[in-house]
Amino acid sequence: MTVQLKIGNRNISINVIWLRDNCRCTECYDHQNKNKKTTIQQFLEKMNVKIQDYIQDDNNINIKWSDGHKSTYCTEWVIDMWTGKKIQIKPYSCTGEELEKLPAKISYNDLTEKEGQKKLIKSIIKYGIGIIKDVEPTLEATEKLVRFIAQPQQTIYGTMWTVGSNEIHQDPAYSNCPLIVHNDTTYFSESTGLQVFHMLKRDINGKGGLSTTVDGFKVAEILRQENPLHFKNLTEIEIETEYMEPGQYLKWTGPVIKINHNTNEITQIRFNIYDRSPQPSDRMNEFYESYAHFVEILKRKELYWNHSLQPGTVVIYNNWRILHGRTSFTGERIFGGCYISMSEFLSKARVLQLIS
């Protein structure tokens, strides 16, 4: 059921039920709180409503409905809803060299201004990484920086956390062994969106401890090019991941690669070779063949940005995209950071009109 609206020389078909469902009169919509006002019965009744009469002028659409209700819509608003282009920043998948050169590098002082915040957030959306320099190497200064973007996310690891001292969690990250690149919190129902790293203290006599970084979107794109079936399998086959410690048992099931099924664009990577549970799938052979191909791509040196985290420089990763790890190390190596939820990060991006 559609109605034809004439815009210039064009006719645009608008769904009738959508129009009734989105009436903006004060009876149907709370303009102060910006949400619909309806009951279940009212919603169901809208499914059968019809247009009795409507008048369109240059600015408004006035509709009289079969149930006696009257609605007035701003023509421009209706057209924007149905034909307007969304504001978006298209991700650019990066090789190792590009992960170092392309992301924004801004000073802490710049982040206190809106333009600095926009530059940082745009970089994280586009390249998966943002870098802030000239930061006091303390956890307090790191938190203050983060709050220009969003509030730190409270998890079982705390709000702001350190790795390298007073370890209380049973996770490989709290050891000095090498870590294969991975995404964090794959066992959360919504994996944490951003990950913030700031080296607070490093033993000058210590060796190793290089941070290793790979763009997971790039890995997935290579997989899609080399073997579309393996790519398809990793978007379909759901695997279980888990994390256990005293008082905690977190578990989630989902595919390694998440895509937008309307556009086929990659939207999230959930790769953590450590956190996979033993729960079998009915497509285990397909999974292992495809997963092994993904892992094989991760061995390719040209995809890596290897760097040493330094006091005074904060690196922010998109945890839905960027895989991070490290080489083994000796000596004291203490870094701090936090997580930021993807929901809050994208909210900030919309407030700054970087996306819609």
Side-chain angles (χ1 to χ4, degrees), residues 7 112-113 156 184 207 222 231 237 350-351:
I7 310 298
T112 63
E113 303 294 334
I156 64 168
D184 272 16
K207 297 180 180 179
I222 293 171
F231 176 86
I237 302 172
R350 293 187 191 99
V351 168

Side-chain angles (χ1 to χ4, degrees), residues 192-312:
T192 50
L194 304 187
Q195 185 155 38
V196 179
F197 284 149
H198 188 189
M199 186 62 68
L200 303 178
K201 189 176 181 182
R202 182 68 170 106
D203 187 347
I204 60 174
N205 296 315
K207 297 180 180 179
L210 286 177
S211 295
T212 54
T213 308
V214 174
D215 187 344
F217 285 6
K218 186 70 172 181
V219 176
E221 285 179 2
I222 293 171
L223 180 67
R224 176 153 51 184
Q225 292 167 5
E226 293 184 352
N227 194 314
L229 179 59
H230 286 174
F231 176 86
K232 183 172 181 290
N233 287 342
L234 292 189
T235 68
E236 294 178 346
I237 302 172
E238 297 195 342
I239 62 166
E240 189 177 83
T241 52
E242 62 184 3
Y243 176 80
M244 291 172 280
E245 65 175 47
Q248 299 288 344
Y249 188 2
L250 301 170
K251 183 184 290 189
W252 184 251
T253 302
V256 174
I257 303 171
K258 184 177 179 180
I259 61 172
N260 181 321
H261 290 284
N262 293 322
T263 64
N264 215 29
E265 293 177 338
I266 301 161
T267 59
Q268 185 179 1
I269 306 296
R270 278 181 180 259
F271 176 84
N272 193 312
I273 205 165
Y274 303 103
D275 294 334
R276 291 170 299 124
S277 87
Q279 182 64 43
S281 160
D282 57 359
R283 299 174 64 184
M284 289 311 303
N285 284 339
E286 294 172 88
F287 167 73
Y288 278 124
E289 287 178 6
S290 305
Y291 197 72
H293 191 169
F294 189 97
V295 171
E296 186 276 321
I297 295 170
L298 282 179
K299 293 173 62 179
R300 302 178 190 179
K301 294 181 180 180
E302 67 272 16
L303 296 179
Y304 280 75
W305 173 34
N306 300 319
H307 59 107
S308 177
L309 290 171
Q310 296 295 326

Side-chain angles (χ1 to χ4, degrees), residues 18-26 28-29 31 36 46 65 69-73 77:
W18 179 88
L19 277 169
R20 185 65 180 87
D21 185 38
N22 288 283
C23 175
R24 264 19 193 186
C25 78
T26 55
C28 296
Y29 189 74
H31 288 267
K36 292 181 171 69
K46 293 174 186 177
W65 298 96
H69 192 75
K70 294 180 181 179
S71 302
T72 298
Y73 306 86
W77 178 80

Side-chain angles (χ1 to χ4, degrees), residues 124 153 185 190-195 317-321 339-343 345:
I124 295 171
Q153 182 179 5
T185 63
E190 180 186 89
S191 295
T192 50
L194 304 187
Q195 185 155 38
Y317 297 128
N318 176 350
N319 184 55
W320 285 19
R321 171 179 175 180
Y339 295 125
I340 298 172
S341 80
M342 186 60 77
S343 297
F345 171 67

Side-chain angles (χ1 to χ4, degrees), residues 36-73:
K36 292 181 171 69
K37 292 161 48 174
T38 189
T39 65
I40 290 177
Q41 184 59 34
Q42 287 171 336
F43 174 79
L44 292 175
E45 288 172 356
K46 293 174 186 177
M47 298 302 101
N48 299 314
V49 76
K50 295 178 174 57
I51 292 178
Q52 185 171 317
D53 189 24
Y54 83 93
I55 299 172
Q56 181 188 351
D57 56 34
D58 291 340
N59 299 315
N60 294 302
I61 304 163
N62 299 288
I63 296 179
K64 182 177 180 181
W65 298 96
S66 57
D67 62 357
H69 192 75
K70 294 180 181 179
S71 302
T72 298
Y73 306 86

Side-chain angles (χ1 to χ4, degrees), residues 81-92:
M81 288 290 102
W82 279 80
T83 65
K85 291 183 178 179
K86 287 192 173 183
I87 305 170
Q88 60 179 334
I89 300 170
K90 201 167 183 64
Y92 175 87

Side-chain angles (χ1 to χ4, degrees), residues 153-216:
Q153 182 179 5
Q154 174 70 37
T155 69
I156 64 168
Y157 304 108
T159 303
M160 301 298 297
W161 37 253
T162 59
V163 175
S165 64
N166 301 320
E167 314 300 16
I168 59 173
H169 297 288
Q170 301 169 357
D171 188 278
Y174 293 90
S175 69
N176 64 350
C177 65
L179 291 177
I180 298 168
V181 290
H182 59 279
N183 306 108
D184 272 16
T185 63
T186 57
Y187 39 77
F188 283 11
S189 56
E190 180 186 89
S191 295
T192 50
L194 304 187
Q195 185 155 38
V196 179
F197 284 149
H198 188 189
M199 186 62 68
L200 303 178
K201 189 176 181 182
R202 182 68 170 106
D203 187 347
I204 60 174
N205 296 315
K207 297 180 180 179
L210 286 177
S211 295
T212 54
T213 308
V214 174
D215 187 344

